[in-house]
Amino acid sequence: MTALFDTVLVANRGEIACRVIRSLRRLGIRSVAVYSDADRSAKHVTDADTAVRIGPAPARESYLNIEAVIAAAIETGANAIHPGYGFLSENADFARACEEAGIVFIGPGIDALEVMGDKIRSKNHVVASGVPVIPGDSRPGLSDADLSESAEVVGYPLLIKPSAGGGGKGMEIVTAPSELRGALATARRIAAAAFGDDTLFLERLIPEPRHIEVQLLADTHGSTIHLGERECSLQRRHQKVIEEAPSPLLDADTRRRIGEAACRVAESVGYVGAGTVEFLVSAEAPDEFYFMEMNTRLQVEHPVTEEVTGVDLVAEQIRIAAGHRLSLRQDDATLTGHAIEARVYAENPERGFLPATGRVIELGEPVGEGVRVDSGIAVGSEIGSFYDPMLAKVIARGSNRAEALARLDRALAETAILGVRTNIEYLRLLLAEPEVQRGDLDTSLIDRRLPSLSFARPDAELLVAAALMVHAERSAPSAGAVWGALDGWRMTGARPIEYTFAVEEGETVTVSVLAAGDAASVRINGGEPHTATLRQLGDGRSALSLDSGVRMLSLARTATGVWVGRDGFSWELPLLSRGQRLALRLAAIARPDAARAPEVRSPMPGTVISVPVAHGSAVDAGATVVVVEAMKMEHKLTAAVAGTVSIAVQPGDLVKLDQVVATLTPLVPDAVPSDAEPNHPIVEGDTA
């Protein structure tokens, strides 16, 4: 039997790099990580047997730098390179560079990458295999004028898609001709930035579609099999959020037919390795399916297939690349039970799900029967703005769909990530939706349900716990410091200690604490007293006794306040000093009622990639004034009011969180009542 590799370099980062390294370790293969300057202390670096720096933080200077990756492989004696997903995983030039360097690329051949990596070419190719495709215009090299002309034939609503890449980046929905021009410009800009290719094509938008994909394995000995399908219909902004296997929609006959169609697609290009063929299925006609694209790599959601088949897909990739035959036949590929995966992102639901940054200061990952976590973070991990904001994936398996859903919800509730905002609470809300529970899914479900979702705020439990944590820290006496205890003692009677936290912008809450032995009497904003006790259990876990109830919470102290978490919800509570409280009160008093120049601020750290309006020009309310790219996503910053815009940045500038990027001066000032006396400044010599 052909031996496996001695050393494999993992040309990726984060969760997927850690996942690949785990399988390499099980196979007894030495692993090599690569890292950018921003990832010097990242988890995938410490997990690997050795690691090599490949450049500065921007991906194009490190993880997308083919020469640097190949040089690292040669330096460390790697026999093969596993590309993970994203970055160079579907790059034919990278596969060619590996071949020229005598290094095995753990993925398909160059021809398959070139055909299936081009969405236009792949659609035209699979038609010859008898696989149905979505109506549209996928001719190569379409100009904006060509696309505009085709749009009238294809009909609205339609979808603009980049020919290169995937993951929903650059996809734009257009519902009317008036939207087409702006959507084309946005799609081309995002496609060029993400994939280095701004070629676009059109597809008819299928109403209430379901996104179903088929996992494939193919070896170099002519065997191609499928491992069933995954349902990936729960998406936001064309990005998958929750995936499951098998699909609750398909019956046995459709499952067989869609699997066979996927195999025909793979065989048509001589595919080798692990790959996925994606289909759209109309909920109205679940026995009909349309080819969308083929992902010539491992998918983010591959764990759900592993959980229901028992197949280690990464290990199979490695064996296939080493020349081994598939370890199973089509008849051996059976699906047992049900598995569901939720993607945990660093993003802030309160700010429109914009990417969040920070440092992980406490981490609690769930355990238990049927629960799996694929994570790329550890305590101390820095979450910056250079890369995709996905932190981890929580996967649950059950004997049936209901059990898998229940286990996933419980696992998410037990997940605590403090130091950066996450979408965990949002994931739990989605799982509780009646349509999700029933399996009535489509790709627009989240967009329809999101406006009705209500997100939590820090409540009495979390505020009291934060105050008690700070109080315990500050009242712990130093050796011999008898007068250091904050027990509220005064000669005139006990007096509580007050802690004021910023809950939201402009909103504060004060918690008063009066210690009495192990327990304390607490009041929130001067309200009724409550009896509370906080026991810190270690690893960020604490037990709060408030009146007659006991709750398990996650708490972490920072230099500026306290991070609090419960049941997947987390929040930062800055502790305000006396000076900060006074400044807030003075600002509220001094705030003018008259119209003022609204400021446009960046909601996240990132890079300015476009300024579509000129400095000093007049803009309407809602107009895009600056476009910022962060974590591989483009964010349009808009004018809150109509006015004359003053631009403070230019393309290429790096911006910080809440940095002012533009200021608007309203075009029409507030009207002055006709019977009012004119205002005039009082100058020296005036008398009242």
Side-chain angles (χ1 to χ4, degrees), residues 10-21:
V10 183
N12 218 295
R13 64 177 302 280
E15 169 271 325
I16 185 55
C18 296
R19 163 70 186 91
V20 173
I21 290 168

Side-chain angles (χ1 to χ4, degrees), residues 124-311:
N124 295 334
H125 178 85
V126 301
V127 170
S129 302
V131 178
V133 300
I134 302 170
D137 188 349
S138 56
R139 292 173 294 160
L142 293 170
S143 66
D144 283 4
D146 295 330
L147 291 165
S148 297
E149 184 177 336
S150 293
E152 297 301 320
V153 178
V154 173
Y156 295 89
L158 55 80
L159 193 62
I160 301 171
K161 299 179 72 174
S163 178
K169 295 177 179 64
M171 289 172 57
E172 295 286 323
I173 294 175
V174 184
T175 60
S178 59
E179 302 171 2
L180 186 62
R181 181 178 178 183
L184 288 172
T186 299
R188 285 201 192 278
R189 182 169 61 246
I190 296 175
F195 315 121
D197 182 349
D198 69 354
T199 306
L200 304 175
F201 66 100
L202 300 180
E203 281 183 354
R204 184 65 188 269
L205 189 66
I206 296 178
E208 297 186 1
R210 296 182 70 140
H211 184 131
I212 294 177
E213 60 190 31
V214 178
Q215 177 69 58
L216 300 167
L217 285 174
D219 63 22
T220 57
H221 303 277
S223 295
T224 301
I225 66 170
H226 69 86
L227 299 178
E229 83 286 352
R230 297 185 286 257
E231 173 92 47
C232 305
S233 297
L234 284 176
Q235 302 178 9
R236 182 173 54 80
R237 299 174 184 165
H238 307 299
Q239 290 279 355
K240 301 166 189 173
V241 178
I242 294 174
E243 305 101 346
E244 58 186 296
S247 167
L249 177 69
L250 301 190
D251 57 24
D253 181 63
T254 306
R255 178 170 294 115
R256 176 188 57 79
R257 291 192 299 110
I258 201 171
E260 291 173 352
C263 288
R264 288 202 303 276
V265 170
E267 289 166 349
S268 73
V269 289
Y271 195 84
V272 172
T276 301
V277 180
E278 300 190 346
F279 297 90
L280 272 187
V281 181
S282 172
E284 299 174 353
D287 59 336
E288 298 177 4
F289 47 84
Y290 301 94
F291 170 85
M292 283 199 302
E293 62 188 37
M294 183 175 189
N295 293 126
T296 53
R297 53 171 169 79
L298 202 64
Q299 293 280 87
V300 175
E301 56 272 20
H302 76 273
V304 294
T305 295
E306 293 183 326
E307 291 301 311
V308 297
T309 62
V311 177

Side-chain angles (χ1 to χ4, degrees), residues 13 206 224 275 303 321 336 362 406 413 476 508 528 545 581:
R13 64 177 302 280
I206 296 178
T224 301
T336 303
E362 286 292 348
T508 63
E528 293 296 317
S545 299
R581 297 196 303 269

Side-chain angles (χ1 to χ4, degrees), residues 88-126:
L88 297 170
S89 62
E90 297 179 278
N91 189 306
D93 290 336
F94 180 57
R96 191 173 288 109
C98 289
E99 185 179 273
E100 292 171 355
I103 298 169
V104 175
F105 175 75
I106 301 179
I110 294 171
D111 288 345
L113 286 169
E114 289 181 334
V115 173
M116 291 302 170
D118 183 327
K119 301 302 183 289
I120 293 175
R121 188 176 173 186
S122 66
K123 285 190 67 175
N124 295 334
H125 178 85
V126 301

Side-chain angles (χ1 to χ4, degrees), residues 413-430:
E414 294 173 357
T415 303
I417 302 174
L418 303 184
V420 61
R421 290 296 300 275
T422 72
N423 67 332
I424 296 175
E425 180 197 10
Y426 156 70
L427 293 171
R428 295 194 65 207
L429 291 172
L430 280 182

Side-chain angles (χ1 to χ4, degrees), residues 453-473:
L453 297 182
S454 178
F455 296 101
R457 296 288 191 279
D459 57 15
E461 284 185 350
L462 297 175
L463 288 160
V464 167
L468 291 179
M469 184 180 203
V470 177
H471 189 80
E473 174 192 281

